[in-house]
Amino acid sequence: MHFGSILPRSFYARPTVKVARDLLGKVLVHGTAAGRIVETEAYLGLGDRAAHSARGLTGRTRVIFGPPGHAYVYLIYGMYECLNLVAEPKGAAGCVLLRALEPLAGLDQMRARRPAARSLEALANGPGKLTLAMGITRTHNGTDVTRGGLVVREPVHAEPFRIEITTRIGIRESTELELRFALAGNRFVSR
DNA sequence: GGTAGGATGGGCT
DNA sequence: GCCCATCCTACCC
């Protein structure tokens, strides 16, 4: 299975909301595993208390303030890891959480990494499930996603889709902001 | 179909 | 010491 070209850094060096919307339909590739991005969330630099970067530059948020097109991976609830892609020009904060994938390639590998999943839909329909299925860990924190083993590519054939916009899932702060983007009606979306 | 409870460890106050 | 951008199991309907 092959895909299109790797998204260039200029794709990520834009407002976070635009990057979050435009990542829908693109293909996340790690080694032989690949999946279509069907759900994202934007985390902003200013006025977004739910974002890790809201408290400023720290050891953990260093990557978010760094150059765009890099992975920000962090541990959540002591057990799971979440993958974000850094947006905005260097020095500005902003990143996009990848919440769900439609598995496209390397399905056997994904199933082996997700023994708890009882269906194809359940392989990567949540941020923690996505990183498990794709084999992404904190060792990828800070890596460049415009080159190397973990990249985002254009799809081979882009089918038209409608985007559903809602509030973000699972957060305790800034719950009124509508910054979640998903393919409307897609069965691989987390909810 | 639905949800309550617990696992688990790093970041920050 | 207290969260926390989660997931799974057990249990109930």
Side-chain angles (χ1 to χ4, degrees):
Chain A
M1 172 113 31
H2 72 94
F3 301 102
S5 59
I6 294 174
L7 301 188
R9 199 168 318 286
S10 57
F11 175 92
Y12 300 96
R14 299 183 297 143
T16 307
V17 168
K18 288 193 196 302
V19 175
R21 290 185 64 124
D22 292 349
L23 278 170
L24 293 177
K26 301 295 193 283
V27 181
L28 180 69
V29 182
H30 182 219
T32 57
R36 181 184 184 213
I37 298 169
V38 299
E39 181 182 350
T40 64
E41 284 179 356
Y43 287 86
L44 309 180
L46 294 171
D48 182 3
R49 291 175 51 77
H52 292 170
S53 54
R55 306 277 159 101
L57 184 60
T58 67
R60 183 169 67 151
T61 62
R62 169 184 57 84
V63 175
I64 307 173
F65 287 89
H70 288 250
Y72 167 52
V73 185
Y74 71 93
L75 182 71
I76 185 69
Y77 296 109
M79 303 180 65
Y80 300 100
E81 281 145 315
C82 292
L83 169 66
N84 298 253
L85 302 179
V86 176
E88 308 279 347
K90 183 178 181 180
C95 62
V96 177
L97 171 68
L98 302 191
R99 285 195 59 90
L101 298 180
E102 173 180 346
L104 295 177
L107 299 195
D108 289 341
Q109 197 175 25
M110 290 194 200
R111 279 189 273 259
R113 289 166 174 157
R114 291 270 304 126
R118 290 174 206 176
S119 66
L120 184 61
E121 292 82 10
L123 277 180
N125 65 342
K129 303 178 198 176
L130 182 156
T131 54
L132 281 171
M134 292 294 290
I136 295 164
T137 68
R138 279 166 289 167
T139 61
H140 294 94
N141 187 45
T143 60
D144 188 345
V145 298
T146 68
R147 50 185 295 165
L150 177 63
V151 294
V152 183
R153 291 181 174 275
E154 293 285 351
V156 178
H157 22 250
E159 302 156 21
F161 52 80
R162 224 182 287 268
I163 298 176
E164 181 181 39
I165 305 175
T166 70
T167 56
R168 294 172 294 184
I169 293 175
I171 55 168
R172 311 285 176 101
E173 300 275 1
S174 297
T175 52
E176 76 284 359
L177 301 179
E178 299 203 315
L179 293 174
R180 172 173 171 264
F181 307 92
L183 299 209
N186 185 279
R187 57 194 257 259
F188 297 93
V189 167
S190 68
R191 71 167 75 153

